[in-house]
Amino acid sequence: MQFFAVVRHSERADGAFAYINGQRWAHTADSKTWPVDPPLSEEGHTAAKDIAMKIKEFAATANSTLKTVVVTSPYCRCVQTAAPIAQALRARMLVDCQIGEVYGPQVMGVDEPANAVKPIGSMLADVPDFEKRLLSSRIVGTWPAWPEDLKRARQRFAMRFLTYL
């Protein structure tokens, strides 16, 4: 049996009540370097592990033996949510630049961010025991052009989503 799931990222570290390593992410050097790419909060990491186990259990009960790929946005919180799922399913993790935020002033602020996303390796450093061999050796998709509006972003999401069905 084949199944397809869409999972939204877990709690962001820039949330009102979120902490990472016991402190507010907004007070870290990381937030100054990557202002539009917060990692998961402590609670977010726990929730990502929980959903990974639930998906693994579902795959086992569905007798899914097909090759599995976990596709994720290049944003840190998304990669950190996808990594435990890939780990639990023993699946390859593919980073796709066409899945992600609205790449424009509505979400990112007036100016195009100099550093939109962190390097993938540094994102995975906070995911305990992630097997690097599960990460696809290449990143796919083209980065959206600045400034992108909500309508164009929705079209991009829908078209890219359909390529995976």
Side-chain angles (χ1 to χ4, degrees), residues 25-85:
W25 181 72
H27 300 147
T28 67
D30 188 60
S31 73
K32 308 305 181 247
T33 307
W34 312 102
V36 297
D37 194 21
L40 291 180
S41 67
E42 292 166 0
E43 180 60 36
H45 280 285
T46 300
K49 290 178 201 165
D50 291 346
I51 193 68
M53 289 301 105
K54 289 177 182 171
I55 291 171
K56 180 181 178 181
E57 290 168 11
F58 177 80
T61 60
N63 257 347
S64 178
T65 57
L66 298 173
K67 187 167 184 129
T68 305
V69 176
V70 175
V71 181
T72 182
S73 158
Y75 289 89
C76 187
R77 61 198 169 274
C78 303
V79 170
Q80 290 179 339
T81 300
I85 297 169

Side-chain angles (χ1 to χ4, degrees), residues 88-153:
L89 296 174
R90 314 290 304 147
R92 297 286 288 168
M93 188 170 77
L94 179 68
V95 177
D96 189 333
C97 291
Q98 287 185 275
I99 301 172
E101 295 284 0
V102 177
Y103 194 62
Q106 289 176 304
V107 173
M108 307 274 173
V110 177
D111 297 320
E112 182 175 11
N115 299 312
V117 296
K118 292 179 182 183
I120 302 298
S122 68
M123 295 179 194
L124 293 172
D126 293 331
V127 179
D129 305 322
F130 181 74
E131 295 177 46
K132 302 287 191 266
R133 66 178 185 78
L134 296 176
L135 180 63
S136 179
S137 60
R138 63 188 183 97
I139 295 174
V140 301
T142 55
W143 200 259
W146 181 272
E148 181 180 52
D149 62 19
L150 182 59
K151 181 180 179 182
R152 203 166 17 160

Side-chain angles (χ1 to χ4, degrees), residues 2 4 71 94-96 99 140 159-165:
Q2 183 175 359
F4 186 91
V71 181
L94 179 68
V95 177
D96 189 333
I99 301 172
V140 301
M159 295 305 296
R160 197 57 171 180
F161 181 79
L162 291 174
T163 65
Y164 289 108
L165 290 180

